[in-house]
């Protein structure tokens, strides 16, 4: 069976990472969570005071720090999924906090940050056999990917999912704050100058607002079988 590149794009909290992780594990592909990479840069920026009081990014200071930001993924035997590491520290839980969610879109809109992350992502996927999810995988990172999926769901459904996820981890969560964050991120992601979120012309759209995780998994597996037959 030939190896292909799978690009899964979509709005925040639409379940694309869960779909991508499950597919990669099912078919033996490498999984790369590009959103976690931008979240890790955001966490680093928060820890090092690289935001102004109004939430804007101190771009000059961040650019000087980029060489000190190293992101890696290590397989977690207990969960069967990769965890995100920032400079050798496991940050899988910290990068999912609402504070990081509130600051990640401005970071992801910075041109030199995207250039650095895209270069890393392309290197990770150069040998194919990879599932990658994010905002611009099918349009910028891998425009020639054999399978492109654009995932969407209503803002209310996505906010509820993120709320449930945070509560399950014992982290503080307020539905109204999360919904506001989801709507703001949608706008920023879709209107930024560099690699805005959009559906690739040859991507298959999936609205999973009313689908279970198992239904999504089966749908994606069927698309994979079609492309690799």
């Amino acid at each position: 069976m030939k190896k292909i590149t799978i690009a899964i794009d979509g709005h925040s909290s639409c379940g694309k990472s869960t779909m991508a992780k499950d597919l990669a594990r099912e078919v033996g592909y490498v999984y790369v969570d590009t959103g976690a990479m931008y979240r890790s840069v955001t966490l680093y920026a928060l820890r090092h005071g690289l935001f102004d009081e109004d939430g804007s990014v101190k771009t000059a200071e961040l650019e000087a720090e980029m060489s000190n930001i190293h992101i890696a993924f290590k397989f977690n035997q207990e969960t069967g999924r990769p965890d995100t590491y920032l400079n050798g520290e496991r940050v899988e839980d910290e990068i999912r906090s609402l504070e990081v969610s509130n600051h990640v879109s401005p970071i992801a809109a910075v041109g030199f940050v995207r250039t650095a992350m895209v270069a890393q992502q392309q290197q990770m996927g150069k040998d194919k056999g990879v599932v990658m999810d994010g905002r611009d995988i099918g349009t910028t990172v891998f425009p020639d990917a054999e399978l492109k999926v654009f995932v969407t769901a209503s803002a209310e459904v996505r906010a509820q999912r993120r709320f449930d996820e945070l509560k399950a981890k014992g982290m503080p969560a307020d539905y109204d704050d999360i919904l506001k964050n989801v709507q703001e991120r949608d706008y920023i992601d879709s209107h930024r100058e560099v690699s805005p979120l959009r559906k690739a012309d040859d991507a298959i759209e999936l609205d999973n607002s009313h689908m279970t995780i198992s239904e999504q998994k089966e749908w994606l597996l069927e698309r994979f079988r079609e492309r690799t037959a």
Side-chain angles (χ1 to χ4, degrees), residues 161-191:
R161 288 173 179 168
R162 178 55 59 87
F163 175 82
D164 292 342
E165 179 186 9
L166 291 173
K167 295 297 284 187
K169 292 180 178 179
M171 301 173 71
D174 179 275
Y175 174 81
D176 291 333
D177 288 343
I178 295 171
L179 178 59
K180 182 170 179 278
N181 170 253
V182 165
Q183 293 168 333
E184 289 176 347
R185 288 183 65 191
D186 283 354
Y187 183 84
I188 295 173
D189 290 345
S190 300
H191 290 79

Side-chain angles (χ1 to χ4, degrees), residues 38-84:
Y38 290 103
R39 285 175 171 272
S40 296
V41 176
T42 304
L43 180 63
Y44 184 95
L46 285 167
R47 288 178 171 179
H48 291 79
L50 301 180
F51 287 96
D52 288 317
E53 287 188 11
D54 64 357
S56 59
V57 183
K58 297 178 180 179
T59 52
E61 290 92 331
L62 176 59
E63 189 166 18
E65 289 287 330
M66 285 303 294
S67 62
N68 299 321
I69 301 175
H70 303 287
I71 302 162
F73 296 96
K74 298 180 183 178
F75 190 75
N76 185 322
Q77 294 286 354
E78 291 185 8
T79 63
R81 292 176 171 175
D83 286 339
T84 311

